[in-house]
Amino acid sequence: MRRFAPASLSLRLVALFGLLAMVILAALGTYLSHSLHVQLERRDDEELAGKCRSINHLVEHAASLEDILARRHLVLDTLTGHDQLLVRIARADGSTLLESHDPTRTPPGIDLSQVDIRAWDSIQSWKLGDLRARYVASKPVTRSGEQAVVLVVRTASDRMLLLAEYRSDVWWAAGVGALLAILMSYFLVRSGLRPLRTMAAQTRAVSANRLDTRLDLQAAPRELHEIVESFNEMLDRLHRSFQQLSQFSADLAHDVRTPLNNLMVQTQVALGKPRGIDEYQALLSSNIEEYERLSRMMESMLFLARAENAHVVLQWQELDVAQELTRIADYFEGIADEAQVRLVVQGAGRLQADATLLRRAVGNLVANAIRYTPADGVIRLQVDAAGDGMEISVSNPGAGIPAEQLERLFDRFYRADPSRSSAGGSSGLGLAIVRSIMMLHGGQASVTSSPGQLTVFSLRFPGRSAV
C-alpha cells in the first residue's frame, strides 16, 4: 500500500491558521447577526406593543363599538407608514368589527380570524404556511361597557429585511477575511520558520571533518532553545565518540603493529642464515608470546564489542564477596610475591552478580595495582555497604595518577604511563573491560587518585546487592 508523504510544516500551519480564521470570523459574524436580530426584534416588538396601546386608547374613548366604525379613519391613520402592520377589531362574540385589509399592504392568503390567540397583552409568534408573524391581542372596553378584541399583527419588518442583507454581507466578509488570513499566514509562516531554515543550513554544514560545528543558540527563537541545546549536546557526544573512535583506531593499529613487527623482524633475522635447533626453539617461544598477546587483545576486543551490544548474558547468583576476593588474592599471590607486594582482603557482604565477570573485573584491577605498586606496598581489596548496594574497592600506594588523566583511564588502549605500555603484556583494554562489566551489572566503575597518594578503584553495584 502506497504511503503518502506527510504535508510540510508550512502547509499545516497555513491550513490551521486558515481554519482558525474561518471559525473565528464565522462565530463572530453569527454572534453579531444574532445580537442585531435580538435588538431589532425587541424594537419591532416595542413598536407593535405601542400600536396596540394606541388602538386600545381609541377603543376605550369610543362611545360604543358602532362609534369605532364611524371613526374608522382614526384606526387606519394609526397604521400610516407601517405597511407590515395589520389590525383586526372584533366583538366579544368573535365577529369582525373592523379589519385593515388594504390589498396594497395585506399579503394574500392572510385571514386574521384564523389567529389562535394564546395569551393577552403579550407578544406572541404566529406561523401560517411560510409566513411568520408576531402579534399582540388585548380586550379593551368602550365607554358604554362593550368589550372588544383588538389584534395587531406584524407580518414583516423592514429591519428584518435589512438584517437578512446584513447577514449576507457578514458571510461574504467572513469568507474574504478568511481568504486574506490564509494568504497573510503563508507569508507570516515563512517568515516565522526562517530560523528553522537557518538551522537546516547549519546542520547541512556538519560533516565528519566538521563535527565541532554548533548551532547558534542566540539566533534561535526561545521556543527552539531546547531543540538547539539537545542538538548541540548530540553533536558534542558524536564529536567525543568520533575522537575516541579515531584514537581507538590509531591505538589499535599501534598495539597490533608492535607484535607483528616483532614477529616479522625476528623471523627475518632467523631466516638470514642457518640456525641451530636451540635458536629456532627460542624464536618459536618468543613468537608464541607475541601470538598470545595478540590473542588476548582480540579476545578483549571481542568481549567489549559483545558487551556494548548486550550480547553477554549474565549468570546471576548470590556471592560471598569476601570469599570471592580471597580467591582472587590467592590467584595473584605468586605474582604479588615476585613484585614484593602484599594483598589484604577486608570487609564482608553478599551480592547478586555474575561470578565470572566479577572475578575478571576485580582481577584486572588487582593486576594493574600489582604493576604500579612499589616494593613492600600493600594492596587492599575491600568490600563495604553503599546504600542499598555494595561497593568493592582496590587501593594501592604509588606515584598516583594526575587529575587530568583520571577521566580517560577507562578508555580503550589508554595508558596513564605510556612508557610502561608493554609491562606484563598490558594491552590497555583492562579498565575498559572493567567499565563494560559494571555497565552490564547496572553499576559503575570510578577511580580517585592524586600524585604520591593512594589510588582507589571502586566498583559500585546497584540495588540487587544485599549485605
Side-chain angles (χ1 to χ4, degrees), residues 220-253:
R222 184 178 302 274
E223 292 78 8
L224 298 180
H225 280 189
E226 185 175 355
I227 296 178
V228 173
E229 291 175 350
S230 299
F231 190 83
N232 286 339
E233 291 174 359
M234 180 189 70
L235 289 178
D236 290 337
R237 293 193 297 271
L238 289 176
H239 194 196
R240 289 194 299 269
S241 298
F242 190 80
Q243 287 180 327
Q244 292 175 357
L245 181 60
S246 300
Q247 184 65 38
F248 168 73
S249 300
D251 292 340
L252 177 61

Side-chain angles (χ1 to χ4, degrees), residues 75-373:
V75 177
L76 298 179
D77 289 343
T78 305
L79 303 179
T80 302
H82 300 280
D83 297 341
Q84 292 81 22
L85 289 178
L86 303 178
V87 176
R88 178 175 182 264
I89 301 177
R91 299 180 179 87
D93 59 3
S95 60
T96 300
L97 177 66
L98 183 150
E99 184 173 328
S100 61
H101 58 280
D102 191 336
T104 62
R105 48 188 166 86
T106 303
I110 291 182
D111 185 356
L112 298 183
S113 63
Q114 297 181 5
V115 177
D116 182 16
I117 300 175
R118 298 188 298 271
W120 301 97
D121 298 319
S122 64
I123 298 175
Q124 303 293 323
S125 296
W126 173 48
K127 181 179 180 182
L128 180 61
D130 295 334
L131 178 66
R132 294 178 181 272
R134 291 175 71 79
Y135 69 89
V136 60
S138 61
K139 295 180 177 181
V141 179
T142 64
R143 286 186 296 173
S144 61
E146 295 177 288
Q147 188 180 58
V149 177
V150 176
L151 176 65
V152 182
V153 180
R154 176 182 289 280
T155 59
S157 170
D158 293 336
R159 295 188 181 96
M160 293 305 172
L161 294 176
L162 179 62
L163 178 62
E165 296 179 0
Y166 171 78
R167 187 180 295 112
S168 177
D169 292 340
V170 166
W171 284 111
W172 274 105
V176 174
L179 180 60
L180 290 177
I182 292 175
L183 294 177
M184 292 179 64
S185 64
Y186 172 76
F187 295 102
L188 292 177
V189 167
R190 283 188 59 84
S191 175
L193 294 181
R194 186 178 295 115
L196 288 180
R197 293 194 294 273
T198 302
M199 289 173 56
Q202 293 176 348
T203 55
R204 282 194 293 269
V206 177
S207 62
N209 297 325
R210 298 185 60 184
L211 284 176
D212 56 343
T213 303
R214 297 294 179 269
L215 301 184
D216 188 359
L217 181 63
Q218 301 302 323
R222 184 178 302 274
E223 292 78 8
L224 298 180
H225 280 189
E226 185 175 355
I227 296 178
V228 173
E229 291 175 350
S230 299
F231 190 83
N232 286 339
E233 291 174 359
M234 180 189 70
L235 289 178
D236 290 337
R237 293 193 297 271
L238 289 176
H239 194 196
R240 289 194 299 269
S241 298
F242 190 80
Q243 287 180 327
Q244 292 175 357
L245 181 60
S246 300
Q247 184 65 38
F248 168 73
S249 300
D251 292 340
L252 177 61
H254 178 272
D255 280 71
V256 172
R257 182 179 62 184
T258 300
L260 289 179
N261 284 339
N262 292 341
L263 290 170
M264 184 173 59
V265 170
Q266 292 174 5
T267 304
Q268 288 175 344
V269 170
L271 295 177
K273 63 179 181 179
R275 306 285 179 177
I277 294 178
D278 294 338
E279 292 178 304
Y280 283 124
Q281 288 179 340
L283 172 64
L284 292 176
S285 298
S286 176
N287 286 352
I288 287 177
E289 292 180 0
E290 299 298 340
Y291 288 138
E292 290 176 345
R293 181 179 176 184
L294 286 173
S295 176
R296 289 194 299 270
M297 187 183 302
M298 295 302 106
E299 180 185 355
S300 297
M301 291 180 60
L302 179 61
F303 174 83
L304 290 173
R306 294 176 58 199
E308 289 181 356
N309 291 278
H311 291 163
V312 177
V313 179
L314 301 186
Q315 303 296 325
W316 295 96
Q317 53 184 304
E318 186 174 351
L319 303 175
D320 185 325
V321 184
Q323 182 178 346
E324 294 296 330
L325 295 183
T326 301
R327 183 177 301 173
I328 295 171
D330 292 342
Y331 176 81
F332 284 95
E333 184 177 2
I335 301 176
D337 290 341
E338 292 181 4
Q340 299 180 6
V341 298
R342 290 189 303 114
L343 300 175
V344 177
V345 176
Q346 295 178 331
R350 305 184 70 83
L351 62 79
Q352 294 284 336
D354 185 300
T356 301
L357 294 184
L358 173 65
R359 294 165 190 164
R360 185 169 187 177
V362 177
N364 286 351
L365 297 181
V366 173
N368 275 347
I370 294 175
R371 188 176 301 118
Y372 294 105
T373 300

